[in-house]
Amino acid sequence: MVCFSGFSQEVNHPNQFDGYLFAYFEGSGPGAGQEHLRFAASADGINWSALNFNNPVIKSDTIAHSGGIRDPHIIRKADASGFFITATDMNTDQNGWAKNTGIVMLKSTDLTRWTHSAIDLAKQYPATFARVKWVWAPQTIYDPIAKKYLVYFTIRFEDNDKLDFYCAYANQDFTGFEKEPTLMFSPKFGGIDGDIVFKDGIYHFFYKGNTKIEGKEVKNGIQQATSRSLQGPWVEDFKYLDVYAGTTTPVEGSGIFKLNNSPDYVLMYDLYTKGRYEYQKSTDLFNFSDSPLSFTKNFFPRHGSVIGLTGQEARHLNAIWKGVPGELLIPKLPADRFQFVADGNPIITHQYTADPAAIVDQGKLWLFTGHDAGAGKQSFKMEDWSVFSTTDMKSWTQYPVPLKLSDFSWAKGGDAYAGQVIKRHGKYYWYISTNALGIGVAVADKPEGPYKDALGKPLLTNKDCFDSKNYWACIDPTVFLDKKGQAWIFWGNSECYYAKLKENMIEIDGAVKRVNFKGFNFTEAPWIHEEKGTYYLSYATGFPEKIAYATSQSLDGPWKYQGILNEIAGNSDTNHQAIVAFKNKWYFFYHNGAIQPGGGSTHRSVCVDEIFYNKNGTLKRIIMSSEGVGKK
């Protein structure tokens, strides 16, 4: 018998996926807490983060007859209108492995609100399944010819050791089957944990199989059968795909998913006696890499499944359960936005940010930052910049990446170091540094960008740093427009330079000069602001860096050293500030290495606290706080 006839064709999905969602049950902790539905998310399909602190997103005692679920399989509907999950209805913690006779079916339109039903085959179809012993690992595949969803699973009867695959069409509302399940595929030596993938006109049926000689199993592992049609016949190749076949390390729970924007497929499996989850890759689903690779994860998954995830879906999941990797929350499309509430310091916790700069424009504070992107690296990897806005210092909006280092054709091999944005003549100019390659300037019509290189070459290079021997002297620009309409730019590392800008904002006007005064121990990160006619030059000093400042009545000096403004920022050798007035308060932005795990000198996070003036115009020392300004 077969389930149905007809040729199926590949279903094209309209969405562009940004990441991945993993549905699984847990393999660690007390047994009563393991057999529940859990989710994890990933930006690359390899590094995973559990949602909801690895607590269940749905507790099984609310959906399963047995009170437990295993082997959850999730799919996206062919028309992208929702999602289906099937799972084994089994509670081994309470009932052991002796028997389970049904499955659980769930559906959702948004991945967070699910309705469910549970099917007991022995009770619903007693003529055939009264003596069923196991109903394992149900999965679903769409048949575009029949325009229905096929659910398939492993069956074993009490009077027969053979493990075969049965299937049935789901009814229209995905709460049960249209008809009694029928035999789908009977592997020669039996099989469990089936997973069907369609590619290039061929259905690939992956499952855990085995080899027997005179009735005794001599080998087991992941095998596949293929067919041009879901009705079969299924042709077994009797080869083992996993590298552990024939060893003392068994695997099960295999699942296949395709990497986004890549020809690679991932064959993952559960090394259930070793407590590991590993994978091999393939581009054709016939030939797989001959060395296993490991996932990184903060949970211990058992048999589960993976689907693609859009950025919008990732943000929705994060709003409900938290835990989604920050890379998935960052907007990608031009009109996309990510809104979040700052919960103290650091104010941005879903990605590493550094080198803050801020402006106020039309009732909003705009925050521009660098982006420490080198996961796990102990050196800087900075490829782009980020932009955020707020109207109240609590609720923030993030915009798509406004500017990348690669937008500057001349900046090959550099890094997206610190910069600052200034508005003039209705346009926004972003002055950026690229480590040793110079300072560039980009321009945009809106503060959120996108920005484009305004010159096609550096505005300033090390050659302009006339008395410096430092390889990276030309970094960290800060720009300021004085009350007479004159634009100024300050920059430097080890020595601080400054110059006037022409009104077009893309040319130096006159000579480059150097700042020097008694007590000036300059490292980097200059910033200019003005209050009540006094100019304030703040800057990083020493190493690890503190922030010091000086005052003057003229940007040409002379400057008077006023002392330390901010102490060493926690867990970060560098310290980089921005000072801006917004809604009758002054704010001091800086970065530290506070986000843990992972935070540090090359994985920094932007913070903000208030800054206050003394009666004589000097500045009070910054009190860095965990609460920040959003909770006050």
Side-chain angles (χ1 to χ4, degrees):
M1 299 175 66
V2 296
C3 295
F4 63 96
S5 62
F7 178 76
S8 281
Q9 57 190 9
E10 199 161 8
V11 179
N12 293 318
H13 196 276
N15 285 332
Q16 177 67 44
F17 299 122
D18 300 303
Y20 309 83
L21 180 68
F22 187 7
Y24 65 98
F25 73 101
E26 175 65 27
S28 66
Q34 293 181 15
E35 293 171 319
H36 302 273
L37 180 65
R38 289 171 165 85
F39 284 164
S42 171
D44 59 9
I46 307 303
N47 301 287
W48 292 91
S49 175
L51 304 191
N52 200 29
F53 306 98
N54 200 29
N55 294 312
V57 297
I58 299 179
K59 290 189 175 181
S60 299
D61 55 6
T62 66
I63 59 175
H65 287 156
S66 68
I69 65 103
R70 301 173 68 88
D71 321 315
H73 178 254
I74 185 170
I75 68 165
R76 184 184 300 271
K77 291 179 67 175
D79 62 2
S81 64
F83 307 87
F84 294 141
I85 289 178
T86 52
T88 306
D89 191 339
M90 192 172 190
N91 190 331
T92 63
D93 181 64
Q94 290 186 13
N95 307 322
W97 292 89
K99 190 172 185 175
N100 83 291
T101 59
I103 69 170
V104 175
M105 303 174 71
L106 302 100
K107 60 182 178 179
S108 173
T109 59
D110 65 358
L111 291 171
T112 61
R113 295 170 296 179
W114 294 86
T115 59
H116 70 277
S117 61
I119 303 171
D120 187 324
L121 270 69
K123 292 181 179 179
Q124 192 159 343
Y125 306 106
T128 302
F129 296 101
R131 294 186 59 77
V132 71
K133 179 179 176 66
W134 292 328
V135 183
W136 280 357
Q139 297 205 172
T140 307
I141 189 169
Y142 180 67
D143 170 22
I145 303 301
K147 297 182 180 179
K148 298 177 183 179
Y149 291 90
L150 182 77
V151 181
Y152 57 99
F153 40 85
T154 294
I155 288 286
R156 180 188 165 186
F157 292 95
E158 292 180 353
D159 53 0
N160 190 340
D161 290 340
K162 186 72 185 302
L163 293 159
D164 289 322
F165 292 99
Y166 280 68
C167 66
Y169 279 127
N171 58 21
Q172 190 171 7
D173 60 2
F174 205 75
T175 58
F177 301 142
E178 286 187 343
K179 297 180 181 179
E180 179 179 278
T182 54
L183 183 66
M184 180 183 190
F185 170 42
S186 181
K188 181 177 180 179
F189 299 116
I192 62 171
D193 298 346
D195 188 17
I196 300 174
V197 178
F198 184 76
K199 174 176 169 55
D200 300 331
I202 297 175
Y203 288 98
H204 299 256
F205 199 136
F206 297 91
Y207 58 96
K208 180 176 180 178
N210 62 91
T211 302
K212 293 180 180 179
I213 297 178
E214 297 180 353
K216 182 179 180 180
E217 181 180 285
V218 296
K219 192 174 184 179
N220 67 59
I222 308 304
Q223 297 179 323
Q224 76 164 305
T226 56
S227 176
R228 290 283 178 178
S229 169
L230 277 169
Q231 73 171 21
W234 296 97
V235 179
E236 300 177 71
D237 63 11
F238 299 104
K239 297 177 182 178
Y240 289 92
L241 304 177
D242 66 287
V243 299
Y244 293 102
T247 73
T248 57
T249 300
V251 306
E252 66 179 15
S254 64
I256 293 278
F257 66 93
K258 187 177 181 297
L259 294 178
N260 300 330
N261 306 310
S262 169
D264 290 339
Y265 287 81
V266 170
L267 169 64
M268 63 180 186
Y269 42 74
D270 179 9
L271 285 69
Y272 56 96
T273 64
K274 302 293 185 181
R276 301 200 307 272
Y277 224 82
E278 295 186 347
Y279 69 97
Q280 295 165 239
K281 285 185 177 182
S282 174
T283 57
D284 61 8
L285 296 182
F286 290 106
N287 301 288
F288 287 82
S289 54
D290 55 9
S291 296
L293 299 168
S294 294
F295 299 99
T296 63
K297 48 187 170 45
N298 57 357
F299 55 103
F300 179 20
R302 297 300 311 277
H303 187 181
S305 56
V306 173
I307 62 169
L309 193 64
T310 69
Q312 184 176 5
E313 291 163 350
R315 290 193 288 276
H316 179 62
L317 288 167
N318 194 68
I320 302 298
W321 288 308
K322 306 299 181 184
V324 172
E327 301 96 306
L328 289 180
L329 304 177
I330 300 171
K332 303 294 192 301
L333 300 176
D336 201 5
R337 303 289 184 266
F338 173 43
Q339 296 178 333
F340 61 96
V341 174
D343 186 21
N345 280 323
I347 57 177
I348 301 154
T349 58
H350 61 276
Q351 72 174 77
Y352 295 114
T353 51
D355 304 327
I359 63 169
V360 175
D361 184 52
Q362 298 181 4
K364 288 184 180 180
L365 184 143
W366 292 84
L367 175 64
F368 306 86
T369 76
H371 177 202
D372 288 331
K377 293 184 178 295
Q378 297 305 310
S379 58
F380 290 111
K381 182 181 180 183
M382 306 180 73
E383 299 175 339
D384 54 34
W385 291 268
S386 300
V387 59
F388 310 83
S389 72
T390 183
T391 58
D392 60 6
M393 301 299 291
K394 297 178 182 180
S395 299
W396 291 84
T397 298
Q398 183 173 13
Y399 302 80
V401 171
L403 184 63
K404 304 183 295 295
L405 187 67
S406 59
D407 292 330
F408 299 94
S409 60
W410 49 270
K412 293 180 174 61
D415 287 287
Y417 275 14
Q420 185 181 344
V421 172
I422 190 170
K423 182 181 181 181
R424 191 166 201 190
H425 302 317
K427 292 188 177 295
Y428 300 84
Y429 295 88
W430 198 335
Y431 298 81
I432 57 90
S433 52
T434 61
N435 198 349
L437 299 176
I439 289 171
V441 56
V443 63
D445 295 323
K446 299 180 291 184
E448 67 266 36
Y451 288 78
K452 294 182 179 180
D453 186 357
L455 282 172
K457 62 180 181 179
L459 172 67
L460 295 161
T461 69
N462 281 348
K463 293 180 180 179
D464 298 294
C465 304
F466 50 85
D467 61 352
S468 177
K469 297 180 177 61
N470 190 342
Y471 179 65
W472 53 88
C474 194
I475 65 170
D476 292 3
T478 182
V479 286
F480 185 81
L481 195 64
D482 68 22
K483 292 181 178 179
K484 295 180 179 180
Q486 177 63 56
W488 301 73
I489 181 168
F490 287 67
W491 74 94
N493 179 285
S494 298
E495 294 83 23
C496 183
Y497 300 92
Y498 72 104
K500 293 180 180 179
L501 288 165
K502 291 184 178 180
E503 192 166 341
N504 63 15
M505 302 299 284
I506 58 174
E507 292 180 272
I508 299 298
D509 187 5
V512 171
K513 300 178 182 179
R514 181 178 164 187
V515 178
N516 205 353
F517 55 88
K518 184 179 179 180
F520 190 40
N521 180 21
F522 177 80
T523 303
E524 58 185 0
W527 181 274
I528 297 288
H529 79 277
E530 181 267 336
E531 168 70 348
K532 295 181 179 179
T534 297
Y535 295 102
Y536 296 78
L537 168 63
S538 51
Y539 54 92
T541 183
F543 197 84
E545 295 173 350
K546 301 179 181 181
I547 301 297
Y549 81 104
T551 57
S552 175
Q553 299 304 304
S554 168
L555 287 172
D556 264 323
W559 293 93
K560 181 181 179 181
Y561 178 68
Q562 297 287 3
I564 298 298
L565 180 58
N566 187 38
E567 297 291 346
I568 296 170
N571 202 32
S572 175
D573 289 335
T574 62
N575 201 337
H576 195 115
Q577 79 294 350
I579 301 173
V580 63
F582 180 56
K583 294 188 175 180
N584 300 316
K585 290 185 178 182
W586 281 90
Y587 293 102
F588 182 88
F589 291 88
Y590 58 101
H591 66 230
N592 62 19
I595 294 180
Q596 297 299 323
S601 291
T602 58
H603 297 84
R604 298 160 294 180
S605 306
V606 168
C607 303
V608 62
D609 282 293
E610 284 190 64
I611 186 170
F612 299 96
Y613 294 86
N614 294 306
K615 290 182 179 180
N616 64 358
T618 58
L619 294 169
K620 294 184 178 181
R621 193 167 293 204
I622 299 299
I623 299 176
M624 294 180 285
S625 71
S626 298
E627 294 80 10
V629 300
K631 290 186 175 182
K632 295 179 179 179

